[in-house]
Every structure is written in C-alpha cells, then in structure tokens.
Amino acid sequence: MRPDRPEFRPDPALSRAEMEELQRDIAEAAVFTDDLDFDPDDVSLDGPADADASGNERLVASDAPVIVGVDQAFLDGRAVSAVVAIQDGAVIERAHAVSPLSIPYIPGLLAFREGGPILAAFEELSAEPDLAVFDGSGRIHFREAGIATHVGVILDLPSIGVAKSLLCGEPREAVDDRPAGWSTPIEAGPNVEAPDGTVIGHAYQSRQWDRSQSINPLYVSPGHRVSAATTVKLVDALCAGYKLPEPTRLADAYADEVKAGYE
DNA sequence: GCGACAG
DNA sequence: ATCTTGTCGC
C-alpha cells in the first residue's frame, strides 16, 4: 500500500516542537466522522453469509471488508512490524518489515518511533484494506493525533486505535469492574488540545470474568474516517471472546513469529 | 518543581 | 514494549 500523503511522514529527525506541530496538522487533516467504503454492519468474523442450497460457499471473491491488524515486536534496536489482513474472519494475507528504530518511546510521540516501520510493512502488503486496527491510540492523544490517526491520514485509510491503557482524557464514569459490552466516553480535559468535554474515544469492556478477578477495559478511539461511536461498534464486532480484537491478536502473533526467526 | 504519560 | 514461573479457574 502506498502513502497518500508522504509529506506527513513521521520523521524521527524532527525536533520535538516540529513533531508536535506536525501532529496538529495531522489532526486537522483527520476526519473523525464516518467515511467508510463499507457498512459497519457487514463486519463479521464468521464466514460469508450466502451459500448455495448445499451449504457451499460461492466460488466468487467476497465483497466483505478487508480489515488489517497492525502490531509490532522488538529486538535489539529494531522493530518487527506486522500487518495481517482478514476478510470474514479468515486471514488472506500477512506482510511484515524489520526496521531500525531511531528514537526511544516518548509518550505522545509514539508515531515518530513506530510510524515509519509500520509504513514499511504496509508497503509490503498487496491487499487493499478497508480498515486498519492499530495497537495504540488514535484521537485519544494530547493533540488528537495518536499513531492510528497519523498512519491512517498518511495512507488515507479508515483506521481505529485500540489501547490497553489510557494516554490522556477523562472517562465520564469510573471504569472499574464493568460487565462485557459496557462503554463510557473519554472526554477531552486539560491535557488535550480540544474543546473541554469533546468525546475523543471510549473505554470499552471487551471481556470480563464472571467472578473474582477483574479485567481492565480497552481504550478505543477514532483514527481516521471513523466516528467514536462506530469505533466502539467495530471493535465489538471484531472481538471473539478475548480482550483484544482478532486483527490485533493475529498481528501480534505474526510479529512474534517473525521475531523468533531472527533470534 | 511535581505529576502524568499509548508502545 | 521486553525480561519470565508459577498458579488460579473453567
């Protein structure tokens, strides 16, 4: 897949002030409303719905959306970036890239460390994705430009961010011990460069134990061309009984697999 | 100065 | 993120 807006590439050599300024440009170019080329209701992890009288799937290309999960593994000073594409829940392609890392992890500037390596993996992908699921935040970011938003804008690809912990913003309600399916808005507060109260994402409880131990919720947010409400709906449809959505789990496993071959 | 901070 | 054994529970 080719970068649509190469001028937004996250250059690790930029100064901190330049990085932050680029993020404000990314946020301005980002679309936080639904502009998808598919119906969110068509997202499913089950096989094609239509089959002939004998129950066999039709021998034609599916028109179901192609969704990619993006994740990374690390070794020494390198990143193993993995992109796994699925359609109707089945893997149709896997692509990866191994790239040197030039800067350390800095909260708020993750895209400048991992964005380039991720774009390299996308260039190895031949499938044409309809949606990308990133491990990290999208709009839930100090300047509304987390890695899901940054990469989504560069590729002009609808994207969402799925983070395991909250970077910034304020949950409207306490998030502890919630049942599966529950969600609450994450609103912009003093740390976010957006009008106070702006809904920048949601805490979403994708899984929960029946008793005893409790699982923390996921923090999901729009990357590009997806609304906050649809983001929750998509993540819900992409989860299969585990805390993390399937695209993310598959990408995580593939990244580990590739990494294992390098050591 | 102090606290908070995706992966 | 990564380094890592055991352990609780269905």
Side-chain angles (χ1 to χ4, degrees):
Chain A
M1 208 184 164
R2 301 249 154 246
D4 192 73
R5 305 293 297 277
E7 71 274 24
F8 286 149
R9 181 173 282 279
D11 182 358
L14 296 178
S15 67
R16 181 170 188 130
E18 291 173 324
M19 290 180 177
E20 296 182 350
E21 206 38 54
L22 177 55
Q23 292 184 322
R24 295 188 181 93
D25 292 339
I26 289 291
E28 196 167 344
V31 172
F32 296 131
T33 53
D34 292 324
D35 180 21
L36 306 165
D37 294 326
F38 62 93
D39 185 335
D41 291 322
D42 289 343
V43 173
S44 154
L45 291 172
D46 300 320
D50 46 23
D52 63 24
S54 5
N56 296 314
E57 293 173 7
R58 293 191 296 171
L59 301 175
V60 296
S62 170
D63 59 343
V66 171
I67 298 172
V68 296
V70 183
D71 194 22
Q72 298 180 298
F74 304 86
L75 55 153
D76 299 319
R78 292 176 296 174
V80 174
S81 307
V83 178
V84 176
I86 66 173
Q87 190 170 39
D88 290 317
V91 175
I92 61 170
E93 186 183 357
R94 306 196 295 180
H96 75 274
V98 179
S99 332
L101 291 164
S102 35
I103 62 172
Y105 162 70
I106 301 170
L109 300 179
L110 181 65
F112 291 88
R113 169 179 165 83
E114 305 180 355
I118 287 174
L119 287 168
F122 266 103
E123 295 204 7
E124 298 300 312
L125 187 75
S126 54
E128 291 182 25
D130 291 296
L131 174 76
V133 181
F134 289 84
D135 62 315
S137 292
R139 195 180 186 182
I140 292 180
H141 179 273
F142 308 123
R143 291 163 292 281
E144 300 182 277
I147 195 163
T149 300
H150 202 136
V151 177
V153 166
I154 288 177
L155 299 175
D156 190 28
L157 173 67
S159 62
I160 61 179
V162 177
K164 294 179 288 297
S165 59
L166 188 61
L167 174 62
C168 61
E170 301 162 356
R172 186 175 291 173
E173 304 173 62
V175 305
D176 319 88
D177 306 306
R178 299 298 190 170
W182 175 90
S183 71
T184 195
I186 297 299
E187 304 176 327
N191 296 329
V192 181
E193 292 182 15
D196 216 77
T198 301
V199 175
I200 55 178
H202 290 80
Y204 170 66
Q205 195 75 46
S206 58
R207 181 183 186 184
Q208 190 56 283
W209 297 115
D210 295 322
R211 41 150 107 23
S212 185
Q213 304 298 305
S214 187
I215 295 176
N216 295 129
L218 250 23
Y219 293 92
V220 307
S221 58
H224 181 46
R225 295 173 53 183
V226 186
S227 67
T230 298
T231 295
V232 174
K233 184 173 187 174
L234 289 170
V235 172
D236 173 66
L238 292 169
C239 283
Y242 294 92
K243 174 172 179 172
L244 295 173
E246 288 308 293
T248 300
R249 284 164 40 75
L250 291 164
D252 178 73
Y254 182 48
D256 284 344
E257 186 180 318
V258 173
K259 173 180 174 177
Y262 275 77
E263 45 181 27

mmCIF file of all heavy atoms in Angstrom, chain A residues 100-131:
data_model
loop_
_atom_site.group_PDB
_atom_site.id
_atom_site.type_symbol
_atom_site.label_atom_id
_atom_site.label_comp_id
_atom_site.label_asym_id
_atom_site.label_seq_id
_atom_site.Cartn_x
_atom_site.Cartn_y
_atom_site.Cartn_z
ATOM 1 N N PRO A 100 15.152 -0.439 11.577
ATOM 2 C CA PRO A 100 15.918 0.065 12.727
ATOM 3 C C PRO A 100 15.100 1.155 13.415
ATOM 4 O O PRO A 100 14.367 1.899 12.756
ATOM 5 C CB PRO A 100 17.185 0.626 12.086
ATOM 6 C CG PRO A 100 16.740 1.028 10.713
ATOM 7 C CD PRO A 100 15.792 -0.072 10.311
ATOM 8 N N LEU A 101 15.223 1.229 14.730
ATOM 9 C CA LEU A 101 14.499 2.256 15.492
ATOM 10 C C LEU A 101 15.485 3.382 15.786
ATOM 11 O O LEU A 101 16.608 3.128 16.206
ATOM 12 C CB LEU A 101 13.972 1.658 16.795
ATOM 13 C CG LEU A 101 12.841 0.640 16.630
ATOM 14 C CD1 LEU A 101 12.663 -0.160 17.916
ATOM 15 C CD2 LEU A 101 11.553 1.357 16.269
ATOM 16 N N SER A 102 15.056 4.605 15.554
ATOM 17 C CA SER A 102 15.984 5.712 15.773
ATOM 18 C C SER A 102 15.757 6.545 17.017
ATOM 19 O O SER A 102 16.670 7.229 17.475
ATOM 20 C CB SER A 102 16.000 6.616 14.540
ATOM 21 O OG SER A 102 14.731 6.686 13.942
ATOM 22 N N ILE A 103 14.555 6.514 17.548
ATOM 23 C CA ILE A 103 14.324 7.297 18.774
ATOM 24 C C ILE A 103 13.619 6.419 19.812
ATOM 25 O O ILE A 103 12.997 5.419 19.466
ATOM 26 C CB ILE A 103 13.451 8.549 18.511
ATOM 27 C CG1 ILE A 103 12.072 8.134 18.002
ATOM 28 C CG2 ILE A 103 14.139 9.478 17.524
ATOM 29 C CD1 ILE A 103 11.095 9.296 17.895
ATOM 30 N N PRO A 104 13.730 6.785 21.089
ATOM 31 C CA PRO A 104 13.094 5.995 22.160
ATOM 32 C C PRO A 104 11.589 6.271 22.204
ATOM 33 O O PRO A 104 11.089 7.166 21.511
ATOM 34 C CB PRO A 104 13.785 6.498 23.417
ATOM 35 C CG PRO A 104 14.048 7.930 23.100
ATOM 36 C CD PRO A 104 14.502 7.904 21.668
ATOM 37 N N TYR A 105 10.911 5.508 23.011
ATOM 38 C CA TYR A 105 9.475 5.714 23.186
ATOM 39 C C TYR A 105 9.274 6.962 24.043
ATOM 40 O O TYR A 105 9.858 7.091 25.125
ATOM 41 C CB TYR A 105 8.833 4.517 23.900
ATOM 42 C CG TYR A 105 7.477 4.844 24.486
ATOM 43 C CD1 TYR A 105 6.392 5.070 23.641
ATOM 44 C CD2 TYR A 105 7.296 4.980 25.854
ATOM 45 C CE1 TYR A 105 5.147 5.408 24.167
ATOM 46 C CE2 TYR A 105 6.060 5.304 26.386
ATOM 47 C CZ TYR A 105 4.987 5.523 25.536
ATOM 48 O OH TYR A 105 3.771 5.857 26.049
ATOM 49 N N ILE A 106 8.471 7.883 23.558
ATOM 50 C CA ILE A 106 8.146 9.095 24.302
ATOM 51 C C ILE A 106 6.631 9.233 24.260
ATOM 52 O O ILE A 106 6.042 9.257 23.171
ATOM 53 C CB ILE A 106 8.781 10.348 23.642
ATOM 54 C CG1 ILE A 106 10.306 10.200 23.577
ATOM 55 C CG2 ILE A 106 8.380 11.606 24.403
ATOM 56 C CD1 ILE A 106 10.994 11.253 22.733
ATOM 57 N N PRO A 107 5.988 9.270 25.434
ATOM 58 C CA PRO A 107 4.530 9.386 25.462
ATOM 59 C C PRO A 107 4.069 10.579 24.615
ATOM 60 O O PRO A 107 4.545 11.698 24.799
ATOM 61 C CB PRO A 107 4.226 9.602 26.948
ATOM 62 C CG PRO A 107 5.334 8.863 27.632
ATOM 63 C CD PRO A 107 6.541 9.213 26.794
ATOM 64 N N GLY A 108 3.183 10.319 23.685
ATOM 65 C CA GLY A 108 2.675 11.384 22.826
ATOM 66 C C GLY A 108 3.377 11.446 21.478
ATOM 67 O O GLY A 108 2.889 12.073 20.543
ATOM 68 N N LEU A 109 4.541 10.789 21.389
ATOM 69 C CA LEU A 109 5.303 10.831 20.132
ATOM 70 C C LEU A 109 5.565 9.428 19.583
ATOM 71 O O LEU A 109 6.501 9.215 18.806
ATOM 72 C CB LEU A 109 6.634 11.562 20.355
ATOM 73 C CG LEU A 109 6.525 13.022 20.833
ATOM 74 C CD1 LEU A 109 7.912 13.618 21.044
ATOM 75 C CD2 LEU A 109 5.749 13.860 19.806
ATOM 76 N N LEU A 110 4.739 8.495 19.964
ATOM 77 C CA LEU A 110 4.905 7.097 19.522
ATOM 78 C C LEU A 110 5.003 6.940 18.000
ATOM 79 O O LEU A 110 5.806 6.141 17.510
ATOM 80 C CB LEU A 110 3.735 6.252 20.046
ATOM 81 C CG LEU A 110 3.768 4.770 19.693
ATOM 82 C CD1 LEU A 110 4.964 4.102 20.350
ATOM 83 C CD2 LEU A 110 2.483 4.093 20.154
ATOM 84 N N ALA A 111 4.221 7.715 17.269
ATOM 85 C CA ALA A 111 4.233 7.587 15.803
ATOM 86 C C ALA A 111 5.592 7.907 15.186
ATOM 87 O O ALA A 111 5.928 7.391 14.125
ATOM 88 C CB ALA A 111 3.162 8.492 15.194
ATOM 89 N N PHE A 112 6.382 8.750 15.870
ATOM 90 C CA PHE A 112 7.690 9.093 15.317
ATOM 91 C C PHE A 112 8.713 7.981 15.548
ATOM 92 O O PHE A 112 9.781 7.966 14.949
ATOM 93 C CB PHE A 112 8.175 10.422 15.904
ATOM 94 C CG PHE A 112 7.348 11.582 15.410
ATOM 95 C CD1 PHE A 112 6.187 11.949 16.091
ATOM 96 C CD2 PHE A 112 7.673 12.237 14.235
ATOM 97 C CE1 PHE A 112 5.378 12.975 15.603
ATOM 98 C CE2 PHE A 112 6.873 13.264 13.743
ATOM 99 C CZ PHE A 112 5.721 13.632 14.424
ATOM 100 N N ARG A 113 8.373 7.060 16.427
ATOM 101 C CA ARG A 113 9.261 5.916 16.678
ATOM 102 C C ARG A 113 8.806 4.726 15.821
ATOM 103 O O ARG A 113 9.608 4.080 15.165
ATOM 104 C CB ARG A 113 9.207 5.536 18.167
ATOM 105 C CG ARG A 113 9.878 4.218 18.533
ATOM 106 C CD ARG A 113 9.767 3.983 20.044
ATOM 107 N NE ARG A 113 10.069 2.620 20.462
ATOM 108 C CZ ARG A 113 11.290 2.139 20.671
ATOM 109 N NH1 ARG A 113 12.331 2.909 20.443
ATOM 110 N NH2 ARG A 113 11.459 0.914 21.080
ATOM 111 N N GLU A 114 7.516 4.454 15.830
ATOM 112 C CA GLU A 114 6.996 3.281 15.132
ATOM 113 C C GLU A 114 6.261 3.510 13.812
ATOM 114 O O GLU A 114 5.987 2.561 13.086
ATOM 115 C CB GLU A 114 6.063 2.523 16.087
ATOM 116 C CG GLU A 114 6.756 2.164 17.401
ATOM 117 C CD GLU A 114 5.845 1.404 18.353
ATOM 118 O OE1 GLU A 114 4.655 1.242 18.043
ATOM 119 O OE2 GLU A 114 6.325 0.978 19.413
ATOM 120 N N GLY A 115 5.946 4.762 13.513
ATOM 121 C CA GLY A 115 5.209 5.047 12.277
ATOM 122 C C GLY A 115 5.932 4.627 11.006
ATOM 123 O O GLY A 115 5.347 3.968 10.139
ATOM 124 N N GLY A 116 7.209 5.006 10.896
ATOM 125 C CA GLY A 116 7.984 4.653 9.712
ATOM 126 C C GLY A 116 8.032 3.142 9.500
ATOM 127 O O GLY A 116 7.730 2.648 8.409
ATOM 128 N N PRO A 117 8.391 2.384 10.541
ATOM 129 C CA PRO A 117 8.443 0.924 10.422
ATOM 130 C C PRO A 117 7.089 0.327 10.000
ATOM 131 O O PRO A 117 7.030 -0.614 9.195
ATOM 132 C CB PRO A 117 8.833 0.475 11.838
ATOM 133 C CG PRO A 117 9.739 1.589 12.302
ATOM 134 C CD PRO A 117 9.038 2.836 11.789
ATOM 135 N N ILE A 118 6.008 0.892 10.518
ATOM 136 C CA ILE A 118 4.681 0.389 10.162
ATOM 137 C C ILE A 118 4.378 0.672 8.693
ATOM 138 O O ILE A 118 3.845 -0.182 7.967
ATOM 139 C CB ILE A 118 3.600 1.033 11.062
ATOM 140 C CG1 ILE A 118 3.697 0.433 12.471
ATOM 141 C CG2 ILE A 118 2.205 0.824 10.470
ATOM 142 C CD1 ILE A 118 2.783 1.082 13.491
ATOM 143 N N LEU A 119 4.741 1.857 8.231
ATOM 144 C CA LEU A 119 4.508 2.196 6.822
ATOM 145 C C LEU A 119 5.301 1.264 5.914
ATOM 146 O O LEU A 119 4.849 0.895 4.827
ATOM 147 C CB LEU A 119 4.890 3.663 6.571
ATOM 148 C CG LEU A 119 3.900 4.674 7.159
ATOM 149 C CD1 LEU A 119 4.504 6.082 7.132
ATOM 150 C CD2 LEU A 119 2.589 4.644 6.371
ATOM 151 N N ALA A 120 6.485 0.859 6.376
ATOM 152 C CA ALA A 120 7.313 -0.064 5.587
ATOM 153 C C ALA A 120 6.600 -1.402 5.433
ATOM 154 O O ALA A 120 6.632 -2.023 4.369
ATOM 155 C CB ALA A 120 8.663 -0.262 6.269
ATOM 156 N N ALA A 121 5.919 -1.833 6.489
ATOM 157 C CA ALA A 121 5.188 -3.104 6.427
ATOM 158 C C ALA A 121 3.993 -2.975 5.477
ATOM 159 O O ALA A 121 3.683 -3.888 4.715
ATOM 160 C CB ALA A 121 4.714 -3.508 7.820
ATOM 161 N N PHE A 122 3.324 -1.834 5.520
ATOM 162 C CA PHE A 122 2.177 -1.619 4.634
ATOM 163 C C PHE A 122 2.605 -1.651 3.168
ATOM 164 O O PHE A 122 1.847 -2.060 2.293
ATOM 165 C CB PHE A 122 1.496 -0.277 4.942
ATOM 166 C CG PHE A 122 0.348 -0.379 5.907
ATOM 167 C CD1 PHE A 122 0.501 -0.001 7.237
ATOM 168 C CD2 PHE A 122 -0.894 -0.868 5.490
ATOM 169 C CE1 PHE A 122 -0.564 -0.101 8.142
ATOM 170 C CE2 PHE A 122 -1.965 -0.975 6.381
ATOM 171 C CZ PHE A 122 -1.798 -0.594 7.708
ATOM 172 N N GLU A 123 3.821 -1.216 2.894
ATOM 173 C CA GLU A 123 4.282 -1.204 1.504
ATOM 174 C C GLU A 123 4.495 -2.619 0.979
ATOM 175 O O GLU A 123 4.568 -2.843 -0.228
ATOM 176 C CB GLU A 123 5.568 -0.372 1.371
ATOM 177 C CG GLU A 123 5.303 1.097 1.693
ATOM 178 C CD GLU A 123 6.312 2.058 1.064
ATOM 179 O OE1 GLU A 123 7.140 1.592 0.257
ATOM 180 O OE2 GLU A 123 6.246 3.247 1.377
ATOM 181 N N GLU A 124 4.596 -3.573 1.898
ATOM 182 C CA GLU A 124 4.765 -4.975 1.505
ATOM 183 C C GLU A 124 3.424 -5.668 1.312
ATOM 184 O O GLU A 124 3.354 -6.814 0.870
ATOM 185 C CB GLU A 124 5.554 -5.730 2.580
ATOM 186 C CG GLU A 124 6.962 -5.224 2.801
ATOM 187 C CD GLU A 124 7.801 -5.318 1.543
ATOM 188 O OE1 GLU A 124 7.800 -6.381 0.900
ATOM 189 O OE2 GLU A 124 8.435 -4.296 1.178
ATOM 190 N N LEU A 125 2.361 -4.990 1.689
ATOM 191 C CA LEU A 125 1.018 -5.569 1.571
ATOM 192 C C LEU A 125 0.423 -5.322 0.192
ATOM 193 O O LEU A 125 0.424 -4.189 -0.295
ATOM 194 C CB LEU A 125 0.114 -4.944 2.650
ATOM 195 C CG LEU A 125 -1.278 -5.537 2.812
ATOM 196 C CD1 LEU A 125 -1.176 -6.881 3.535
ATOM 197 C CD2 LEU A 125 -2.166 -4.579 3.619
ATOM 198 N N SER A 126 -0.109 -6.386 -0.428
ATOM 199 C CA SER A 126 -0.715 -6.206 -1.747
ATOM 200 C C SER A 126 -2.231 -6.065 -1.676
ATOM 201 O O SER A 126 -2.850 -5.524 -2.589
ATOM 202 C CB SER A 126 -0.315 -7.350 -2.680
ATOM 203 O OG SER A 126 -0.614 -8.591 -2.089
ATOM 204 N N ALA A 127 -2.818 -6.550 -0.605
ATOM 205 C CA ALA A 127 -4.281 -6.442 -0.460
ATOM 206 C C ALA A 127 -4.639 -4.967 -0.262
ATOM 207 O O ALA A 127 -3.788 -4.162 0.116
ATOM 208 C CB ALA A 127 -4.741 -7.246 0.752
ATOM 209 N N GLU A 128 -5.879 -4.622 -0.540
ATOM 210 C CA GLU A 128 -6.331 -3.251 -0.353
ATOM 211 C C GLU A 128 -7.283 -3.221 0.826
ATOM 212 O O GLU A 128 -8.447 -3.604 0.707
ATOM 213 C CB GLU A 128 -7.035 -2.744 -1.619
ATOM 214 C CG GLU A 128 -6.085 -2.544 -2.779
ATOM 215 C CD GLU A 128 -6.792 -1.988 -4.006
ATOM 216 O OE1 GLU A 128 -7.829 -1.332 -3.857
ATOM 217 O OE2 GLU A 128 -6.281 -2.245 -5.116
ATOM 218 N N PRO A 129 -6.796 -2.776 1.996
ATOM 219 C CA PRO A 129 -7.604 -2.753 3.213
ATOM 220 C C PRO A 129 -8.726 -1.714 3.182
ATOM 221 O O PRO A 129 -8.642 -0.682 2.507
ATOM 222 C CB PRO A 129 -6.605 -2.429 4.317
ATOM 223 C CG PRO A 129 -5.270 -2.313 3.676
ATOM 224 C CD PRO A 129 -5.464 -2.247 2.210
ATOM 225 N N ASP A 130 -9.780 -2.037 3.938
ATOM 226 C CA ASP A 130 -10.896 -1.098 4.086
ATOM 227 C C ASP A 130 -10.820 -0.437 5.463
ATOM 228 O O ASP A 130 -11.448 0.589 5.698
ATOM 229 C CB ASP A 130 -12.225 -1.851 3.968
ATOM 230 C CG ASP A 130 -12.467 -2.363 2.566
ATOM 231 O OD1 ASP A 130 -12.596 -1.532 1.656
ATOM 232 O OD2 ASP A 130 -12.496 -3.601 2.373
ATOM 233 N N LEU A 131 -10.082 -1.085 6.365
ATOM 234 C CA LEU A 131 -9.958 -0.564 7.726
ATOM 235 C C LEU A 131 -8.692 -1.126 8.382
ATOM 236 O O LEU A 131 -8.337 -2.276 8.172
ATOM 237 C CB LEU A 131 -11.175 -1.004 8.561
ATOM 238 C CG LEU A 131 -11.131 -0.667 10.056
ATOM 239 C CD1 LEU A 131 -11.415 0.824 10.267
ATOM 240 C CD2 LEU A 131 -12.163 -1.498 10.823
#
